[in-house]
Amino acid sequence: MQHCLDIASFSYDELVELLDAAYVLKTQPPGYSVPVGETCALIFAEPSTRTRCSFEIAAKRLGFSTLVLDSAASSACKGESLVDTVKNLEAMGVRYFVIRQPNEQWLQELPSQAHADSHLINAGSGMHSHPTQALLDMLTIRQYKKDFASLKVAIMGDIQHSRVARSQCVALHKLGVPEIRLLGPAEWVPESMGEIPVQRFEQLEEGLQDADVVICLRIQRERLRQDQQVDAQAFHQAYGLTPERLKLAKKDAIVLHPGPVNREVELSSEVMDGPQSVILEQVSHGVLLRMAVLRNMSE
Ligand code: NCD
Protein backbone atom coordinates (compact mmCIF):
# COMPACT_ATOMS: atom_id res chain seq x y z
CA MET A 1 0.00 0.00 0.00
CA GLN A 2 1.40 3.38 -0.91
CA HIS A 3 -0.90 5.68 1.06
CA CYS A 4 -3.61 5.30 3.69
CA LEU A 5 -5.89 8.25 3.10
CA ASP A 6 -9.43 6.94 3.11
CA ILE A 7 -11.24 3.69 3.93
CA ALA A 8 -13.22 3.98 0.71
CA SER A 9 -10.10 3.18 -1.30
CA PHE A 10 -9.58 -0.18 0.44
CA SER A 11 -10.99 -3.36 -1.04
CA TYR A 12 -12.64 -5.86 1.29
CA ASP A 13 -9.60 -8.14 1.00
CA GLU A 14 -7.20 -5.30 1.83
CA LEU A 15 -9.22 -4.40 4.91
CA VAL A 16 -9.26 -7.98 6.15
CA GLU A 17 -5.55 -8.40 5.40
CA LEU A 18 -4.71 -5.38 7.57
CA LEU A 19 -6.96 -6.54 10.41
CA ASP A 20 -5.37 -9.99 10.25
CA ALA A 21 -1.86 -8.51 10.26
CA ALA A 22 -2.68 -6.35 13.29
CA TYR A 23 -4.24 -9.31 15.08
CA VAL A 24 -1.12 -11.43 14.60
CA LEU A 25 0.93 -8.64 16.22
CA LYS A 26 -1.12 -9.13 19.38
CA THR A 27 0.71 -12.33 20.11
CA GLN A 28 3.85 -12.14 17.97
CA PRO A 29 6.48 -9.40 17.85
CA PRO A 30 6.90 -8.01 14.33
CA GLY A 31 10.17 -9.84 13.62
CA TYR A 32 10.83 -7.11 11.12
CA SER A 33 12.61 -3.81 11.14
CA VAL A 34 12.85 -0.99 8.60
CA PRO A 35 16.33 -0.05 7.30
CA VAL A 36 18.40 2.07 9.68
CA GLY A 37 17.70 5.77 9.17
CA GLU A 38 14.12 5.40 7.93
CA THR A 39 12.15 8.27 9.42
CA CYS A 40 8.47 8.73 10.06
CA ALA A 41 7.26 12.31 10.47
CA LEU A 42 4.12 13.01 12.47
CA ILE A 43 2.63 16.32 11.35
CA PHE A 44 -0.23 17.27 13.64
CA ALA A 45 -2.10 20.51 13.09
CA GLU A 46 -4.79 19.55 15.61
CA PRO A 47 -4.51 18.22 19.16
CA SER A 48 -4.05 14.48 19.62
CA THR A 49 -3.10 12.07 22.38
CA ARG A 50 -4.02 8.52 21.31
CA THR A 51 -3.46 8.81 17.57
CA ARG A 52 -0.14 10.62 17.79
CA CYS A 53 1.32 8.55 20.61
CA SER A 54 0.20 5.23 19.15
CA PHE A 55 1.64 6.10 15.72
CA GLU A 56 4.89 7.10 17.36
CA ILE A 57 5.07 3.90 19.41
CA ALA A 58 4.12 1.82 16.37
CA ALA A 59 6.79 3.47 14.22
CA LYS A 60 9.46 3.03 16.88
CA ARG A 61 8.60 -0.63 17.35
CA LEU A 62 9.27 -1.12 13.65
CA GLY A 63 12.64 0.63 13.88
CA PHE A 64 11.69 4.03 12.48
CA SER A 65 13.09 7.17 14.00
CA THR A 66 10.31 9.67 14.49
CA LEU A 67 9.87 13.40 14.13
CA VAL A 68 6.88 15.08 15.73
CA LEU A 69 5.81 18.42 14.28
CA ASP A 70 2.89 20.23 15.79
CA SER A 71 1.73 23.42 14.17
CA ALA A 72 2.62 25.62 17.11
CA ALA A 73 6.24 24.44 17.05
CA SER A 74 6.86 24.23 13.29
CA SER A 75 6.90 26.61 10.37
CA ALA A 76 3.20 26.03 9.74
CA CYS A 77 2.58 28.89 12.18
CA LYS A 78 4.82 31.08 9.99
CA GLY A 79 2.60 30.45 6.99
CA GLU A 80 4.30 27.48 5.34
CA SER A 81 1.91 25.19 3.49
CA LEU A 82 1.62 21.48 4.25
CA VAL A 83 2.93 20.66 0.78
CA ASP A 84 6.04 22.75 1.39
CA THR A 85 6.59 21.26 4.83
CA VAL A 86 6.40 17.76 3.33
CA LYS A 87 8.74 18.69 0.45
CA ASN A 88 11.29 20.06 2.93
CA LEU A 89 11.17 16.91 5.02
CA GLU A 90 11.46 14.83 1.84
CA ALA A 91 14.61 16.80 1.03
CA MET A 92 15.96 15.50 4.35
CA GLY A 93 15.15 11.93 3.31
CA VAL A 94 11.83 11.43 5.14
CA ARG A 95 9.42 9.14 3.27
CA TYR A 96 6.69 8.39 5.83
CA PHE A 97 4.21 11.06 6.84
CA VAL A 98 1.40 10.74 9.38
CA ILE A 99 -0.75 13.82 8.95
CA ARG A 100 -3.63 15.40 10.87
CA GLN A 101 -5.22 18.53 9.45
CA PRO A 102 -8.35 20.55 10.24
CA ASN A 103 -9.62 20.13 6.65
CA GLU A 104 -9.63 17.49 3.92
CA GLN A 105 -8.36 19.47 0.90
CA TRP A 106 -4.84 18.14 1.36
CA LEU A 107 -6.04 14.63 0.55
CA GLN A 108 -6.55 15.78 -3.04
CA GLU A 109 -3.55 18.03 -3.25
CA LEU A 110 -0.66 16.30 -1.52
CA PRO A 111 -0.45 12.83 -3.15
CA SER A 112 0.31 14.25 -6.60
CA GLN A 113 2.97 16.61 -5.22
CA ALA A 114 4.72 14.25 -2.83
CA HIS A 115 7.82 12.26 -3.77
CA ALA A 116 6.98 9.07 -5.69
CA ASP A 117 8.37 6.94 -2.84
CA SER A 118 6.60 8.83 -0.06
CA HIS A 119 3.86 7.27 2.03
CA LEU A 120 1.05 9.45 3.36
CA ILE A 121 -1.20 8.40 6.22
CA ASN A 122 -4.30 10.32 7.16
CA ALA A 123 -4.46 10.67 10.96
CA GLY A 124 -7.64 12.75 10.83
CA SER A 125 -8.83 15.20 8.18
CA GLY A 126 -11.37 17.76 9.38
CA MET A 127 -14.83 16.24 9.69
CA HIS A 128 -14.13 14.03 6.70
CA SER A 129 -12.22 10.89 7.68
CA HIS A 130 -9.98 9.10 10.13
CA PRO A 131 -9.21 5.75 8.51
CA THR A 132 -6.84 4.20 11.05
CA GLN A 133 -9.26 4.96 13.89
CA ALA A 134 -12.03 3.15 12.03
CA LEU A 135 -9.70 0.23 11.31
CA LEU A 136 -8.69 -0.18 14.94
CA ASP A 137 -12.36 -0.01 15.88
CA MET A 138 -13.08 -2.83 13.41
CA LEU A 139 -10.23 -4.85 14.92
CA THR A 140 -11.81 -4.40 18.35
CA ILE A 141 -15.31 -5.29 17.16
CA ARG A 142 -14.01 -8.37 15.36
CA GLN A 143 -12.24 -9.56 18.47
CA TYR A 144 -15.53 -9.71 20.38
CA LYS A 145 -18.11 -10.30 17.69
CA LYS A 146 -16.39 -12.43 15.05
CA ASP A 147 -19.00 -12.15 12.31
CA PHE A 148 -19.75 -8.68 10.97
CA ALA A 149 -22.61 -9.99 8.84
CA SER A 150 -25.07 -10.32 11.73
CA LEU A 151 -24.33 -7.15 13.67
CA LYS A 152 -26.45 -4.21 14.74
CA VAL A 153 -24.10 -1.30 15.38
CA ALA A 154 -25.36 1.88 17.08
CA ILE A 155 -23.26 5.03 16.74
CA MET A 156 -24.41 7.77 19.11
CA GLY A 157 -23.65 11.41 19.84
CA ASP A 158 -22.33 14.18 17.64
CA ILE A 159 -22.17 12.27 14.36
CA GLN A 160 -22.54 15.30 12.13
CA HIS A 161 -19.12 16.69 13.04
CA SER A 162 -17.31 13.39 13.49
CA ARG A 163 -14.71 12.18 10.99
CA VAL A 164 -14.53 8.97 13.03
CA ALA A 165 -18.21 8.18 12.46
CA ARG A 166 -17.86 8.73 8.71
CA SER A 167 -14.93 6.35 8.40
CA GLN A 168 -16.58 3.82 10.71
CA CYS A 169 -19.71 3.74 8.54
CA VAL A 170 -17.62 3.08 5.43
CA ALA A 171 -15.64 0.33 7.16
CA LEU A 172 -18.70 -1.31 8.75
CA HIS A 173 -20.50 -1.32 5.41
CA LYS A 174 -17.50 -2.77 3.54
CA LEU A 175 -17.18 -5.52 6.12
CA GLY A 176 -20.84 -6.47 5.64
CA VAL A 177 -22.60 -5.03 8.72
CA PRO A 178 -26.30 -5.05 7.79
CA GLU A 179 -27.60 -2.59 10.38
CA ILE A 180 -25.86 0.71 11.07
CA ARG A 181 -27.88 2.98 13.34
CA LEU A 182 -27.15 6.64 13.95
CA LEU A 183 -28.49 7.99 17.24
CA GLY A 184 -28.57 11.52 18.56
CA PRO A 185 -30.23 14.93 18.35
CA ALA A 186 -31.72 15.50 14.89
CA GLU A 187 -29.30 18.32 14.07
CA TRP A 188 -26.31 16.06 14.76
CA VAL A 189 -27.48 12.99 12.89
CA PRO A 190 -26.84 13.39 9.15
CA GLU A 191 -29.72 12.62 6.80
CA SER A 192 -27.53 10.13 4.97
CA MET A 193 -24.03 8.70 4.84
CA GLY A 194 -23.66 8.93 1.08
CA GLU A 195 -24.36 5.54 -0.45
CA ILE A 196 -24.23 3.68 2.85
CA PRO A 197 -27.59 2.54 4.17
CA VAL A 198 -28.09 3.82 7.73
CA GLN A 199 -31.05 4.16 10.08
CA ARG A 200 -31.58 7.40 12.02
CA PHE A 201 -32.96 7.53 15.55
CA GLU A 202 -33.69 10.57 17.67
CA GLN A 203 -34.89 8.39 20.53
CA LEU A 204 -31.86 6.64 22.03
CA GLU A 205 -34.05 3.99 23.58
CA GLU A 206 -35.26 2.84 20.16
CA GLY A 207 -31.85 2.88 18.55
CA LEU A 208 -30.15 0.96 21.36
CA GLN A 209 -32.65 -1.89 21.31
CA ASP A 210 -30.78 -5.19 20.78
CA ALA A 211 -27.61 -3.49 19.56
CA ASP A 212 -24.46 -5.67 19.53
CA VAL A 213 -22.07 -2.74 19.47
CA VAL A 214 -22.55 0.77 20.84
CA ILE A 215 -20.10 3.47 19.78
CA CYS A 216 -20.21 6.75 21.73
CA LEU A 217 -18.87 9.98 20.31
CA ARG A 218 -17.76 13.18 21.95
CA ILE A 219 -19.43 16.52 21.22
CA GLN A 220 -17.01 18.12 18.75
CA ARG A 221 -17.13 21.51 20.48
CA GLU A 222 -14.22 22.86 18.46
CA ARG A 223 -16.29 22.44 15.28
CA LEU A 224 -19.44 24.08 16.67
CA ARG A 225 -20.32 27.74 16.46
CA GLN A 226 -21.07 29.58 19.68
CA ASP A 227 -24.82 29.34 19.05
CA GLN A 228 -24.59 25.56 18.49
CA GLN A 229 -22.94 24.77 21.82
CA VAL A 230 -25.01 22.68 24.21
CA ASP A 231 -25.12 22.24 27.94
CA ALA A 232 -23.15 19.13 28.94
CA GLN A 233 -25.54 18.08 31.67
CA ALA A 234 -28.64 18.46 29.52
CA PHE A 235 -26.93 16.48 26.76
CA HIS A 236 -26.09 13.69 29.18
CA GLN A 237 -29.68 13.50 30.34
CA ALA A 238 -31.08 13.27 26.85
CA TYR A 239 -28.33 11.45 24.94
CA GLY A 240 -25.69 10.09 27.33
CA LEU A 241 -25.07 6.37 27.59
CA THR A 242 -26.03 5.33 31.13
CA PRO A 243 -26.15 1.80 32.61
CA GLU A 244 -29.97 1.88 32.32
CA ARG A 245 -29.87 2.74 28.65
CA LEU A 246 -27.14 0.21 27.94
CA LYS A 247 -29.45 -2.51 29.31
CA LEU A 248 -31.60 -2.03 26.19
CA ALA A 249 -28.77 -3.32 24.01
CA LYS A 250 -27.91 -7.01 23.90
CA LYS A 251 -26.58 -8.47 27.15
CA ASP A 252 -23.17 -9.02 25.60
CA ALA A 253 -23.06 -5.68 23.75
CA ILE A 254 -19.70 -3.92 23.77
CA VAL A 255 -19.17 -0.17 24.20
CA LEU A 256 -16.57 1.70 22.16
CA HIS A 257 -15.39 5.30 22.14
CA PRO A 258 -12.51 6.70 20.06
CA GLY A 259 -11.51 9.08 22.88
CA PRO A 260 -11.03 11.58 24.30
CA VAL A 261 -13.94 10.73 26.61
CA ASN A 262 -15.90 13.39 28.41
CA ARG A 263 -17.19 11.47 31.41
CA GLU A 264 -20.81 12.17 32.37
CA VAL A 265 -21.45 13.82 29.02
CA GLU A 266 -21.63 11.30 26.17
CA LEU A 267 -21.35 8.38 28.58
CA SER A 268 -21.33 7.85 32.32
CA SER A 269 -18.26 6.80 34.26
CA GLU A 270 -20.06 3.66 35.27
CA VAL A 271 -20.36 2.59 31.64
CA MET A 272 -16.87 3.78 30.76
CA ASP A 273 -15.29 1.71 33.54
CA GLY A 274 -17.84 -1.11 33.39
CA PRO A 275 -17.51 -4.66 32.11
CA GLN A 276 -18.93 -3.94 28.66
CA SER A 277 -16.48 -1.15 27.88
CA VAL A 278 -13.67 -2.06 25.47
CA ILE A 279 -12.38 1.49 25.25
CA LEU A 280 -8.88 0.85 26.52
CA GLU A 281 -8.64 -2.26 24.36
CA GLN A 282 -9.28 0.05 21.39
CA VAL A 283 -6.32 2.12 22.49
CA SER A 284 -4.05 -0.95 22.61
CA HIS A 285 -5.32 -1.98 19.21
CA GLY A 286 -4.35 1.45 17.92
CA VAL A 287 -0.67 0.58 18.26
CA LEU A 288 -1.06 -2.82 16.58
CA LEU A 289 -3.16 -1.54 13.71
CA ARG A 290 -0.79 1.34 13.04
CA MET A 291 2.15 -1.03 13.10
CA ALA A 292 0.34 -3.16 10.54
CA VAL A 293 -0.22 -0.14 8.29
CA LEU A 294 3.38 1.09 8.50
CA ARG A 295 4.73 -2.39 8.00
CA ASN A 296 2.53 -3.02 4.99
CA MET A 297 3.89 0.19 3.42
CA SER A 298 7.52 -0.49 4.20
CA GLU A 299 7.85 -4.14 3.19
C1 NCD B 1 -10.94 11.46 17.46
C2 NCD B 1 -10.53 12.49 16.43
O1 NCD B 1 -9.54 13.18 16.59
O2 NCD B 1 -11.23 12.55 15.45
N1 NCD B 1 -9.94 11.15 18.38
C3 NCD B 1 -9.03 10.20 18.07
O3 NCD B 1 -8.34 10.29 17.09
N2 NCD B 1 -8.96 9.12 18.86
C4 NCD B 1 -12.24 11.72 18.07
C5 NCD B 1 -12.47 13.00 18.80
O4 NCD B 1 -11.64 13.90 18.85
O5 NCD B 1 -13.56 13.12 19.35
Side-chain angles (χ1 to χ4, degrees):
M1 154 174 54
Q2 179 159 16
H3 304 310
C4 174
L5 297 174
D6 211 331
I7 298 273
S9 59
F10 283 88
S11 68
Y12 172 83
D13 288 345
E14 284 167 338
L15 276 185
V16 172
E17 193 189 326
L18 264 183
L19 297 183
D20 287 345
Y23 186 74
V24 169
L25 288 167
K26 232 181 145 109
T27 50
Q28 278 174 31
Y32 164 84
S33 195
V34 293
V36 175
E38 201 74 80
T39 303
C40 179
L42 301 128
I43 304 176
F44 277 69
E46 278 190 347
S48 174
T49 301
R50 277 148 292 272
T51 306
R52 204 193 63 191
C53 296
S54 61
F55 261 118
E56 192 168 2
I57 291 171
K60 287 199 159 117
R61 285 201 190 152
L62 292 172
F64 284 94
S65 50
T66 56
L67 285 174
V68 180
L69 289 90
D70 63 54
S71 11
S74 71
S75 292
C77 68
K78 298 184 189 170
E80 185 171 78
S81 71
L82 176 66
V83 170
D84 284 330
T85 300
V86 167
K87 281 181 185 283
N88 277 268
L89 292 168
E90 285 175 339
M92 300 176 211
V94 180
R95 292 292 179 267
Y96 293 82
F97 298 91
V98 177
I99 300 173
R100 171 169 288 191
Q101 291 287 300
N103 58 57
E104 70 261 26
Q105 283 78 343
W106 66 276
L107 297 173
Q108 308 302 325
E109 202 177 275
L110 191 55
S112 61
Q113 302 208 44
H115 190 285
D117 296 335
S118 281
H119 299 279
L120 308 173
I121 303 173
N122 178 2
S125 50
M127 303 195 301
H128 175 265
S129 60
H130 193 348
T132 59
Q133 178 67 48
L135 286 168
L136 73 90
D137 297 336
M138 299 307 119
L139 184 63
T140 310
I141 294 172
R142 194 176 70 163
Q143 165 156 326
Y144 288 91
K145 298 296 167 194
K146 317 290 182 237
D147 186 12
F148 285 100
S150 59
L151 294 184
K152 297 181 177 67
V153 178
I155 305 179
M156 56 188 275
D158 179 4
I159 297 163
Q160 181 65 33
H161 305 99
S162 171
R163 54 191 171 211
V164 174
R166 287 195 174 72
S167 288
Q168 285 170 336
C169 286
V170 180
L172 289 166
H173 183 59
K174 280 205 180 220
L175 290 168
V177 170
E179 220 173 302
I180 305 174
R181 304 171 179 177
L182 307 181
L183 287 49
E187 63 277 21
W188 287 353
V189 178
E191 289 293 334
S192 75
M193 274 285 172
E195 313 265 275
I196 300 164
V198 289
Q199 299 171 9
R200 297 175 84 239
F201 294 88
E202 271 179 62
Q203 294 298 324
L204 277 198
E205 284 70 16
E206 268 177 60
L208 285 170
Q209 208 70 48
D210 288 329
D212 298 282
V213 176
V214 182
I215 304 176
C216 297
L217 298 170
R218 177 179 71 89
I219 302 172
Q220 305 277 302
R221 292 201 182 276
E222 67 278 28
R223 305 192 199 286
L224 300 179
R225 293 189 315 264
Q226 198 53 43
D227 62 316
Q228 294 174 313
Q229 299 291 342
V230 295
D231 176 66
Q233 222 179 335
F235 183 83
H236 186 67
Q237 268 182 11
Y239 292 105
L241 187 62
T242 57
E244 297 70 45
R245 287 180 173 144
L246 182 56
K247 281 199 189 108
L248 299 166
K250 288 209 180 120
K251 243 194 162 98
D252 63 350
I254 52 170
V255 176
L256 286 83
H257 191 310
V261 171
N262 285 248
R263 287 173 183 257
E264 311 306 339
V265 184
E266 64 271 17
L267 85 174
S268 71
S269 267
E270 222 177 313
V271 174
M272 162 100 182
D273 302 328
Q276 288 169 272
S277 164
V278 296
I279 295 171
L280 289 177
E281 185 110 31
Q282 283 175 272
V283 179
S284 306
H285 285 163
V287 175
L288 305 179
L289 189 279
R290 286 161 178 143
M291 279 174 82
V293 169
L294 285 166
R295 180 177 171 161
N296 182 300
M297 288 173 168
S298 60
E299 268 179 333

